[in-house]
């Protein structure tokens, strides 16, 4: 199992005092969170990609390249790389470059994002979201695996005799997760290529994601990549912790009530009952997270959202200390119990090199 954190990079007022970080402060805070994640023993830091206020991470590879230079072990990933509006050629080259700079500590999560206007900003039609995701990834997949590419599709100019540079490190592309909260077509796409499927199950009830993940596992096996249990599954989560649950709820409630995404909607109690959001003691977070295996089977990666809704950096760093010291060691131990030997661990560059070598034999 791999454990980490992801950030959407929102610039949100702190509802307790009205303070708003500058874009500069928020960007620096994301870097500080990544460095803290490595310090406390987490495996992964992932950044979102947005091109509109109030979000700051418009250039994930720039941020991740900077973090790569200041870390040694942390896997650097994205919580969304916009496969629909980014040019697949640029994705191929940017992430291969990052892969070399980080000595392989890179993977990425492809998605369509949650901002409708981004499509016309980048010359695309939101009604073509799924076809764009399918076609653009088909090209990206080929660019990383074929040295000289001839290609023609619906959404970009043709390529003739094109080679993307640099080539992937050791001839093995970064591992790809396909992220989705609602689309079975994306689960099918992940299964077809034998890639990972990340169900960012932070807003909807578990029953919805059980169906999506079950579809992905079944189709992964259908395409001959392994058994359903050997498919690569990642999950999202949200937590806020204090020593006792009453203090956690009291402190987090004003942030929840004013959060841009789910504020002014269901109560904190209703939302925590219906979604994976856990506000309470470290033991409550442990128990809630361990229950994910009962719903979704053994899986490879668990990412937590920790720095949203205007929480100050000091508080987020405190949360990461609690996560690294009191929660993750228990989760590692408990998730390892009765885990079948043929279920893969979280993907790394070394494991993907070995996987490619085994396929080639």
């Amino acid at each position: 199992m791999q454990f980490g954190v992801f950030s959407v990079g929102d610039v949100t007022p702190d509802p307790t005092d009205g303070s708003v970080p500058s874009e500069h402060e928020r960007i620096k805070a994301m870097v500080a969170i990544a460095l803290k994640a490595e310090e406390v023993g987490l495996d992964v830091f992932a950044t979102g990609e947005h091109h509109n206020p109030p979000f700051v991470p418009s250039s994930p590879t720039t941020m991740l390249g900077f973090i790569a230079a200041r870390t040694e072990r942390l896997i650097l990933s994205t919580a969304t790389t916009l496969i629909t509006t980014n040019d697949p050629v640029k994705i191929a080259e940017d992430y291969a470059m990052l892969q070399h700079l980080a000595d392989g500590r890179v993977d990425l999560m492809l998605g369509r994002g949650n901002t409708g206007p981004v499509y016309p900003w980048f010359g695309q039609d939101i009604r073509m979201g799924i076809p764009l995701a399918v076609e653009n990834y088909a090209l990206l997949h080929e660019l990383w695996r074929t040295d000289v590419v001839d290609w023609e599709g619906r959404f970009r100019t043709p390529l003739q005799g094109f080679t993307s540079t640099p080539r992937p490190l050791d001839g093995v592309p970064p591992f790809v997760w396909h992220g989705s909260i609602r689309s079975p077509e994306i689960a099918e796409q992940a299964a077809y290529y034998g890639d990972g499927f990340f169900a960012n199950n932070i807003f909807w009830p578990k029953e919805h994601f059980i169906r999506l993940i079950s579809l992905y596992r079944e189709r992964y096996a259908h395409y001959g990549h392994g058994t359903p249990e050997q498919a690569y599954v990642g999950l999202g989560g949200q937590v806020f912790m204090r020593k006792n649950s009453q203090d956690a709820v009291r402190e987090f409630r004003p942030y929840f009530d004013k959060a841009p995404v789910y504020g002014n909607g269901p109560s904190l109690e209703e939302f925590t009952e219906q979604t994976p959001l856990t506000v309470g003691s470290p033991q409550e977070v442990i128990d809630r997270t361990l229950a994910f295996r009962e719903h979704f089977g053994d899986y490879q990666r668990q990412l937590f959202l920790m720095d949203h809704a205007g929480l100050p950096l000091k508080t987020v760093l405190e949360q990461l200390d609690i996560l690294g010291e009191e929660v993750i060691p228990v989760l590692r131990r408990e998730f390892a119990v009765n885990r079948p030997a043929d279920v893969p661990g979280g993907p790394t560059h070394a494991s993907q090199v070995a996987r490619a070598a085994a396929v080639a034999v």
Side-chain angles (χ1 to χ4, degrees):
M1 281 282 292
Q2 293 171 339
F3 298 92
V5 292
F6 72 97
S7 176
V8 297
D10 57 311
V11 178
T12 301
D14 184 331
T16 65
D17 62 12
S19 61
V20 183
S22 67
E23 290 182 325
H24 176 78
E25 290 170 332
R26 188 67 175 96
I27 292 167
K28 290 291 190 178
M30 292 178 69
V31 172
I33 289 164
L35 301 183
K36 187 69 169 181
E38 176 162 278
E39 176 189 324
V40 302
L42 301 185
D43 305 305
V44 183
F45 172 81
T47 174
E49 178 188 346
H50 295 274
H51 298 276
N52 58 291
F55 304 98
V56 295
S58 58
S59 180
T61 53
T62 303
M63 173 171 286
L64 295 178
F66 182 77
I67 295 169
R70 301 186 63 186
T71 54
E72 297 180 355
R73 183 186 52 80
L74 196 66
I75 295 172
L76 307 169
S77 188
T78 58
T80 303
T81 294
L82 296 175
I83 188 63
T84 44
T85 50
N86 283 309
D87 184 353
V89 172
K90 198 70 169 68
I91 295 176
E93 297 190 331
D94 283 354
Y95 284 90
M97 176 66 78
L98 179 60
Q99 187 191 34
H100 282 274
L101 291 173
D103 295 321
R105 294 185 290 123
V106 173
D107 58 35
L108 66 160
M109 187 193 308
L110 301 179
R112 291 176 291 148
N114 60 4
T115 306
V118 75
Y119 284 82
W121 292 341
F122 288 85
Q124 301 296 349
D125 183 342
I126 192 172
R127 294 170 295 183
M128 293 292 103
I130 291 292
L132 277 163
V134 171
E135 180 178 298
N136 284 355
Y137 183 60
L139 175 55
L140 175 60
H141 189 272
E142 184 172 354
L143 287 167
W144 273 338
R145 290 164 176 82
T146 304
D147 287 342
V148 181
V149 172
D150 294 311
W151 183 90
E152 185 172 350
R154 295 173 59 190
F155 299 111
R156 77 173 318 280
T157 53
L159 298 174
Q160 295 181 345
F162 179 78
T163 299
S164 68
T165 60
R167 304 305 297 148
L169 180 64
D170 300 320
V172 176
F175 186 83
V176 170
W177 301 89
H178 298 259
S180 180
I181 62 171
R182 62 183 180 273
S183 302
E185 296 93 339
I186 302 304
E188 176 77 17
Q189 182 183 40
Y192 177 80
Y193 288 103
D195 295 335
F197 181 65
F198 194 95
N200 199 7
N201 59 324
I202 60 175
F203 296 126
W204 291 19
K206 64 180 181 299
E207 290 77 13
H208 170 75
F209 291 99
I210 288 172
R211 291 191 293 270
L212 271 182
I213 292 171
S214 295
L215 170 65
Y216 162 66
R217 290 187 183 279
E218 292 167 6
R219 300 300 289 172
Y220 183 95
H222 169 80
Y223 289 115
H225 301 298
T227 66
E229 294 74 23
Q230 291 173 325
Y232 290 83
V233 173
L235 298 175
Q238 300 179 82
V239 297
F240 186 87
M241 298 168 286
R242 288 303 181 199
K243 185 176 181 179
N244 63 70
S245 58
Q246 294 86 352
D247 289 342
V249 170
R250 186 181 307 111
E251 184 175 349
F252 187 69
R253 188 181 298 280
Y255 295 95
F256 176 88
D257 288 344
K258 297 298 183 181
V261 175
Y262 43 59
N264 304 307
S267 69
L268 175 59
E269 288 73 18
E270 291 170 331
F271 202 81
T272 53
E273 180 181 353
Q274 297 170 11
T275 76
L277 173 64
T278 305
V279 181
S281 67
Q283 187 60 52
E284 288 175 292
V285 171
I286 290 168
D287 293 341
R288 192 80 179 277
T289 307
L290 288 175
F292 291 174
R293 179 163 64 175
E294 300 173 13
H295 307 315
F296 307 115
D298 286 293
Y299 62 109
Q300 282 66 40
R301 180 173 289 182
Q302 175 66 55
L303 298 183
F304 295 103
L305 177 62
M306 310 286 289
D307 69 328
H308 58 118
L311 286 165
L313 176 61
K314 178 178 180 293
T315 301
V316 175
L317 298 181
E318 292 170 353
Q319 292 293 303
L320 288 171
D321 278 328
I322 299 170
L323 189 69
E325 294 170 8
E326 301 185 41
V327 175
I328 299 304
V330 179
L331 291 179
R332 290 193 195 279
R333 183 172 66 248
E334 294 299 319
F335 272 119
V337 174
N338 298 324
R339 187 181 180 95
D342 61 346
V343 171
T348 64
H349 181 68
S351 72
Q352 294 310 296
V353 169
R355 187 185 183 195
V359 170
V361 172

